[in-house]
Amino acid sequence: MIIDCHGHYTTAPAAHTSWREAQTAAFDDGGPAPAYPAISDDEIRESIEGSQLRLMAERGIDLTIFSPRASAMGHHHGDEAVSAAWTRASNDLVARVVDLFPEHFAGVGQLPQSVGVPIERSVAELRRCVEELGFVGVNLNPDPSGGHWTAPPLTDRHWYPFYEAMVELDVPAMVHVSAVTNPNFHATGSHYLNADTTAFMQLVQADLFRDLPGLRLVIPHGGGAVPYHWGRFRGLADMLGRPAVEDAVMGNVFFDTCVYHQPGIDLLVDVIEPENILFGSEMVGAVRGIDPRTGHHFDDTRRYVEASGLKPEDRDRVYEHNARRVYPRLDQRLRAQGR
């Protein structure tokens, strides 16, 4: 079985996206947001069957862990009420996808984060996602400001109430930023990868997992710069008097395979232990084109994994077993389906 741990609803019906535009415009104008539109099951099917579902079938992916579009989370827009309404609508839409295609998708929720708002105010939506919608995890934005990094580091006790709820519910979080407003950064080309690298270094510098040994975090996009500079992070941990990275961090942190060329995947699987890698593609996402050097889509990451030096048993870990271990509610769901 092949489980893609990193999928976003980038092809959501146009009415959903248009409502978001109207909602933020109403906030800017000081007026009320319009009512959320009616979206039919047929519209949802049409948005999925010709995109994600078709590509999954073509690439041999059995199930995608599916969440709202990351760049559209937009936690820097509006206020807490705006973010909460948008988050609820986005999560409900993903839940409808999962209900329509239960063998192909498992839900992951976005959070109603807002600049300056305590993260514990997102716990209620976390619980709703897990306990009511049946989601198996959440996406956690370390920078709700949109590229200005006004939030405390992920290891600050500011985040602990949310982490404690995650541990109680036994769900992981993917550390995933959203859109960027800082003109110095391109959203997917630098802001995303900067955030991945920044999050990892924060974890190296503190004792988060000593305090919360049951916490699990997925750092996407192959871990940003981390595998490429693995010696730097190991050396910095030593210079800072910190425990070895392998002991203090990697028991709780996992990288995906959203790396879009063969040398990158080869490096990832050579440097990072297979127990810490989850298959992911983020397909129909950040990089949608065809690589002229190979004739295949950049985000067809299964091709790279198949061509890597992984042993068959390690490839099985990357494709399936690690995801079931990191997302135990997914494992329960699959077992209930007889898989």
Side-chain angles (χ1 to χ4, degrees), residues 190-246:
S190 58
H191 183 48
Y192 279 22
L193 304 182
N194 291 346
D196 303 332
T197 309
T198 297
F200 187 83
M201 190 61 206
Q202 290 175 356
L203 298 174
V204 170
Q205 292 176 269
D207 297 312
L208 177 62
F209 300 122
R210 186 182 66 185
D211 292 345
L212 295 164
L215 182 66
R216 299 182 302 280
L217 300 176
V218 179
I219 297 180
H221 317 115
V226 175
Y228 187 70
H229 289 286
W230 192 241
R232 175 179 290 260
F233 291 102
R234 290 178 56 243
L236 285 170
D238 181 66
M239 290 174 61
L240 294 169
R242 302 294 305 157
V245 172
E246 294 87 348

Side-chain angles (χ1 to χ4, degrees), residues 1-22:
M1 183 176 191
I2 298 181
I3 299 170
D4 188 337
C5 79
H6 192 164
H8 299 298
Y9 198 179
T10 55
T11 60
H16 177 73
T17 304
S18 295
W19 181 80
R20 172 60 164 173
E21 294 171 355

Side-chain angles (χ1 to χ4, degrees), residues 1-7 51-66 103-106 257-258 279-284 299-303 305-306 318-320 339:
M1 183 176 191
I2 298 181
I3 299 170
D4 188 337
C5 79
H6 192 164
S51 53
Q52 278 91 355
L53 205 58
R54 175 181 60 82
L55 291 170
M56 287 169 63
E58 290 176 359
R59 300 177 187 183
I61 297 170
D62 298 288
L63 181 140
T64 295
I65 299 176
F66 204 53
E103 293 190 354
H104 297 288
F105 296 98
T257 62
C258 293
F279 177 75
S281 72
E282 201 179 2
M283 68 180 180
V284 198
D299 61 4
D300 187 357
T301 54
R302 184 184 175 187
R303 289 182 176 275
V305 174
E306 291 289 333
V318 170
Y319 278 153
E320 176 182 5
R339 295 195 282 175

Side-chain angles (χ1 to χ4, degrees), residues 292-327:
R293 298 182 182 179
T294 66
H296 301 294
H297 285 87
F298 283 102
D299 61 4
D300 187 357
T301 54
R302 184 184 175 187
R303 289 182 176 275
Y304 311 137
V305 174
E306 291 289 333
S308 72
L310 282 171
K311 299 175 182 177
E313 60 270 25
D314 289 334
R315 193 165 59 242
D316 289 343
R317 291 189 180 97
V318 170
Y319 278 153
E320 176 182 5
H321 303 315
N322 292 342
R324 296 178 80 132
R325 176 167 53 90
V326 175
Y327 293 82

Side-chain angles (χ1 to χ4, degrees), residues 89-243:
S90 298
N91 288 337
D92 287 347
L93 195 63
V94 166
R96 291 180 63 187
V97 172
V98 175
D99 289 343
L100 289 170
F101 303 98
E103 293 190 354
H104 297 288
F105 296 98
V108 160
Q110 76 177 54
L111 296 170
Q113 298 175 247
S114 289
V115 176
V117 176
I119 190 62
E120 53 260 43
R121 303 259 270 274
S122 290
V123 170
E125 184 63 14
L126 166 67
R127 292 190 181 279
R128 188 181 80 91
C129 283
V130 174
E131 297 174 339
E132 297 180 24
L133 302 182
F135 286 7
V136 300
V138 290
N139 290 336
L140 179 66
N141 187 350
D143 174 36
S145 71
H148 300 278
W149 290 91
T150 58
L154 287 171
T155 51
D156 190 272
R157 289 193 173 271
H158 161 88
W159 302 93
Y160 275 41
F162 191 83
Y163 294 153
E164 289 163 356
M166 284 174 53
V167 171
E168 176 195 338
L169 294 167
D170 201 17
V171 294
M174 179 174 281
V175 180
H176 205 308
V177 289
S178 184
V180 64
T181 62
N182 187 328
N184 290 289
F185 304 123
H186 181 275
T188 55
S190 58
H191 183 48
Y192 279 22
L193 304 182
N194 291 346
D196 303 332
T197 309
T198 297
F200 187 83
M201 190 61 206
Q202 290 175 356
L203 298 174
V204 170
Q205 292 176 269
D207 297 312
L208 177 62
F209 300 122
R210 186 182 66 185
D211 292 345
L212 295 164
L215 182 66
R216 299 182 302 280
L217 300 176
V218 179
I219 297 180
H221 317 115
V226 175
Y228 187 70
H229 289 286
W230 192 241
R232 175 179 290 260
F233 291 102
R234 290 178 56 243
L236 285 170
D238 181 66
M239 290 174 61
L240 294 169
R242 302 294 305 157

